Amino acid sequence: MREKEFSLRRKRLWENLRGKEVDAFLLLNVEGSEQPNIRYLTGFTGTFAILILSEESFFLTDPRYTEQAQGQVDLPVLEVRGRWIPQVIARLMDLGVKRVGIGSTRTTLHLFEELRRAGEGMEFVPVGAPVEEMRRIKSEEEIQRIRQAVELTEAGLHWIVSRLRPSKTEREVALALEFWYRKEGADDVAFDPIVAGGARSAMPHHRAGDHRLRPGEIVLFDIGVRMDGYCADITRVVALGDPDPEVRRIYKLVLAANAAGISAVRAGVSGRDADTAARRLLEAAGLAEHFGHGLGHGVGLEVHEGPRLSQTSEDLLVRGNVVTVEPGLYFPGKFGVRLEDLVVVEEEGALILSSFPKEELWVVGGKR
């Protein structure tokens, strides 16, 4: 079943590239640079791979991965040793191609120039990000994998919150959570877990450090696991004992913005308009300057991919997109609140994949 899925994706990609008037498409995964795209088109999970897509297609890798590729990839697998660029050029010449399309968002200028020098008589044509464009729309099977990642992410959050106590460091909490995820079957964490206590919650991408959690402060968790290659990404805030009333007030504002953003998400809405729906509530409260990032982003084989939901977005949401909705308010030196859900874009609205309680600030060891 999976082999058919990969074959259909490659066929669709090749049809999409017809308008570029290329004879072949070259995807170069050099130590992970194109790993998500290679996995999407072939199922291969290693860090070095080359896909030549044409009327006759080939998969190339080095001796570290030959056996693995033969078990994962439904294409002829060729082994390259030593200087691989001349060997790729030789294969392209054997196919008789003249114009070779190449993804231009991840391929370095250095590598592009190396290919041009080696492929005398060939034209290498930048074709943008055709695989990433395909990846924006998730199949039902992909959505199910993301849902499983969300479920495990939230199970871990329940587990860690029930054990949350003052005196633990952010790093200790993050490591305990990551270990639990690995033990319970996650491939990996989708990104370094953000565990931010007190004033550190005002830094949107804080790295868990040596700060010891204290009674009365809030703890922001931005977490996600990767399951079968697919990512989850959710954010929740809990309080260690009774928080300041101002924290509760800000929490309610962010919760309302989160709800407004989710309500705005549906097929046909622009990423900018979805962002505006949430942002206007914070602007009305006079707090727009404290919401400095976009409302959300796509999630799939990568935790940050298209489409984008922001004031600078030029994306239009379509059925099958999976995006975050994550408004936040940040007060440097004091605290920050962000609430993030993962949703599927449907014709009439958003299907919410995340379900961890958020209707009120979760208090550990105090009054709710």
Side-chain angles (χ1 to χ4, degrees):
M1 179 63 183
R2 295 292 295 277
E3 289 184 359
K4 183 179 180 181
E5 177 184 25
F6 298 131
S7 177
L8 288 173
R9 288 173 180 172
R10 294 193 300 269
K11 181 180 179 181
R12 190 163 76 251
L13 173 62
W14 187 236
E15 290 172 350
N16 293 344
L17 289 168
R18 295 281 185 166
K20 306 290 185 180
E21 297 182 349
V22 295
D23 306 314
F25 175 69
L26 187 61
L27 192 60
L28 303 165
N29 180 34
V30 182
E31 297 310 319
S33 59
E34 290 272 11
Q35 198 277 332
N37 290 336
I38 284 286
R39 181 164 186 164
Y40 183 77
L41 294 173
T42 69
F44 182 68
T45 58
T47 63
F48 179 83
I50 299 156
L51 175 64
I52 297 175
L53 190 65
S54 65
E55 296 298 335
E56 186 178 4
S57 299
F58 296 93
F59 185 92
L60 297 84
T61 190
D62 65 29
R64 295 174 298 168
Y65 294 115
T66 303
E67 185 175 359
Q68 177 182 330
Q70 289 169 342
Q72 289 183 324
V73 180
D74 62 327
L75 287 170
V77 174
L78 307 178
E79 186 177 276
V80 294
R81 292 173 177 262
R83 288 171 51 86
W84 57 267
I85 288 181
Q87 297 172 68
V88 171
I89 296 298
R91 177 57 57 181
L92 291 170
M93 287 181 172
D94 288 344
L95 292 172
V97 302
K98 296 296 182 184
R99 284 172 53 87
V100 181
I102 189 165
S104 51
T105 58
R106 299 175 187 244
T107 304
T108 65
L109 180 59
H110 171 76
L111 184 53
F112 184 74
E113 291 297 332
E114 287 285 301
L115 289 166
R116 287 181 61 185
R117 279 194 289 270
E120 186 175 353
M122 284 182 201
E123 182 181 2
F124 289 89
V125 184
V127 294
V131 187
E132 290 91 331
E133 290 295 323
M134 286 176 57
R135 283 172 42 206
R136 290 184 178 212
I137 301 176
K138 272 66 178 180
S139 67
E140 289 300 322
E141 185 176 352
E142 289 179 290
I143 291 170
Q144 180 58 27
R145 291 179 205 154
I146 295 170
R147 188 192 301 275
Q148 291 170 350
V150 170
E151 289 173 352
L152 185 59
T153 298
E154 294 190 325
L157 185 53
H158 278 287
W159 179 84
I160 199 68
V161 166
S162 70
R163 289 160 176 78
L164 203 60
R165 300 290 184 273
S167 81
K168 295 288 188 182
T169 68
E170 296 167 339
R171 181 178 287 111
E172 286 171 340
V173 173
L175 287 174
L177 185 56
E178 184 171 348
F179 180 80
W180 188 90
Y181 283 139
R182 295 276 196 155
K183 182 169 64 73
E184 295 299 318
D187 297 350
D188 194 357
V189 287
F191 52 94
D192 289 341
I194 296 175
V195 179
R200 290 151 190 80
S201 60
M203 293 183 278
H205 278 188
H206 172 69
R207 294 178 66 89
D210 294 327
H211 170 71
R212 292 194 178 276
L213 305 180
R214 301 168 184 166
E217 69 181 12
I218 63 171
V219 185
L220 184 149
F221 290 89
D222 188 341
I223 53 178
V225 302
R226 182 177 283 108
M227 296 274 293
D228 197 14
Y230 285 81
C231 301
D233 187 6
I234 67 169
T235 303
R236 290 293 188 268
V237 176
V238 301
L240 277 174
D242 297 331
D244 188 283
E246 180 66 1
V247 171
R248 290 186 182 274
R249 184 179 79 86
I250 293 302
Y251 185 93
K252 289 179 180 179
L253 281 171
V254 174
L255 180 63
N258 171 268
I262 292 173
S263 294
V265 169
R266 61 183 176 278
V269 170
S270 70
R272 179 170 183 170
D273 286 348
D275 179 277
T276 297
R279 193 172 298 274
R280 66 163 61 102
L281 286 175
L282 306 181
E283 290 175 344
L287 295 171
E289 66 184 275
H290 296 283
F291 179 26
H293 56 75
L295 181 65
H297 54 84
V299 174
L301 286 168
E302 294 178 286
V303 75
H304 290 100
E305 54 185 52
R308 302 281 171 169
L309 284 63
S310 72
Q311 288 298 291
T312 59
S313 174
E314 298 179 355
D315 295 327
L316 194 68
L317 300 180
V318 300
R319 183 176 181 273
N321 292 155
V322 176
V323 298
T324 65
V325 177
E326 50 180 306
L329 289 172
Y330 310 94
F331 303 89
K334 297 180 179 179
F335 66 92
V337 173
R338 180 169 67 254
L339 293 172
E340 177 182 21
D341 288 291
L342 201 52
V343 307
V344 182
V345 178
E346 297 189 330
E347 293 294 341
E348 302 300 326
L351 171 65
I352 305 174
L353 298 180
S354 41
S355 61
F356 194 94
K358 62 178 181 180
E359 290 70 24
E360 57 181 310
L361 179 61
W362 189 295
V363 177
V364 180
K367 297 177 183 178
R368 296 190 66 185

